[in-house]
Amino acid sequence: MSESTTTQKADFWFDPLCPFAWITSRWIGEVEQVRNISVDWHVMSLSVLNEGRDLPEEYKALMLQGWGPVRVVIAAAHLHGDEYVKKLYDAMGTRIHIGQNKDFDVVISESLEEVGLPADLAKFAHSEEYDEKLRASHKDGIDRVGDEVGTPVVAFNGTAFFGPVLTRIPRGEEAGRIFDGAVLMSEFPEFFELKRSRTERPKFD
């Protein structure tokens, strides 16, 4: 654990669909083991982000399916408490990315059972009842970085960025050093972007 007694604050916006958000979220979990940080978890939605855009048919179909998981997370948080945001993300993400289960109705059902929530919350996957809250959570994150980005959105002590985009999960002190760098850059108000072409797909090992 870092010797620093100052608690760093992170806010993390995710869509359970996104493999890059999943890796970044696992990185944050590693950081929690070696740095003094507090993390709040929030939902954003690739389905909301891509509304009205001209998309390939395969991706368009995925965006239609993508409403389900985020709607259920939002409904669960509203009805049972914000602590279920991260619990459901962990359960859904493990099934989607590690288990490669693309049947989101099954993913939702199994995840609700895993975290001890009522099975009937699954009905909200196909309901617009909490879409206003979903859109508000999404807007809160995306307004901080601009709508030309995707997931994840991470705020370090209030300063938000798209990313970091990682293809592998940094572990231990390596994860902590990456976090230190991100916090350092966030403290310079004129810093906006680092980017390079991605040459590999996410690996979840």
Side-chain angles (χ1 to χ4, degrees):
M1 177 69 70
S2 169
E3 294 181 358
S4 173
T5 58
T6 301
T7 300
Q8 306 283 353
K9 179 69 166 60
D11 287 272
F12 195 110
W13 283 263
F14 66 88
D15 186 321
L17 267 64
C18 180
F20 296 103
W22 178 251
I23 287 182
T24 304
S25 72
R26 301 310 95 177
W27 162 65
I28 286 287
E30 290 287 316
V31 174
E32 288 181 299
Q33 305 305 310
V34 296
R35 295 293 186 271
N36 186 14
I37 68 168
S38 172
V39 187
D40 286 340
W41 298 86
H42 315 273
V43 173
M44 63 182 295
S45 170
L46 291 172
S47 299
V48 172
L49 185 68
N50 286 291
E51 280 184 313
R53 296 183 178 179
D54 186 17
L55 304 172
E57 287 303 315
E58 182 178 355
Y59 196 68
K60 188 182 297 184
L62 180 62
M63 291 301 97
L64 287 174
Q65 290 180 290
W67 288 97
V70 288
R71 280 172 166 168
V72 170
V73 174
I74 284 289
H78 177 70
L79 295 171
H80 296 277
D82 289 339
E83 67 270 22
Y84 286 102
V85 172
K86 177 62 161 47
K87 291 178 180 180
L88 278 174
Y89 182 33
D90 290 345
M92 290 178 179
T94 298
R95 287 165 173 79
I96 292 170
H97 302 297
I98 306 302
Q100 292 294 299
N101 189 342
K102 304 307 180 187
D103 186 335
F104 293 159
D105 286 337
V106 171
V107 166
I108 289 166
S109 176
E110 291 181 352
S111 297
L112 289 171
E113 181 178 6
E114 178 182 323
V115 304
L117 285 172
D120 68 356
L121 282 173
K123 68 186 179 185
F124 293 110
H126 307 285
S127 166
E128 297 181 1
E129 184 170 347
Y130 292 106
D131 279 8
E132 184 176 346
K133 292 184 180 296
L134 169 60
R135 291 178 185 278
S137 181
H138 174 87
K139 186 176 186 297
D140 184 30
I142 212 70
D143 280 356
R144 301 169 188 239
V145 292
D147 62 5
E148 71 274 12
V149 302
T151 61
V153 169
V154 185
F156 304 100
N157 299 315
T159 301
F161 297 101
F162 164 56
V165 174
L166 307 163
T167 57
R168 298 190 186 186
I169 304 166
R171 304 290 185 182
E173 184 57 26
E174 181 181 44
R177 291 197 304 271
I178 294 171
F179 178 76
D180 294 341
V183 170
L184 184 62
M185 288 186 291
S186 74
E187 292 172 350
F188 183 65
E190 288 75 29
F191 172 75
F192 289 94
E193 183 176 12
L194 277 175
K195 189 173 177 64
R196 62 175 173 168
S197 296
R198 200 169 7 94
T199 58
E200 64 178 19
R201 295 182 59 80
K203 299 179 181 179
F204 305 117
D205 55 324

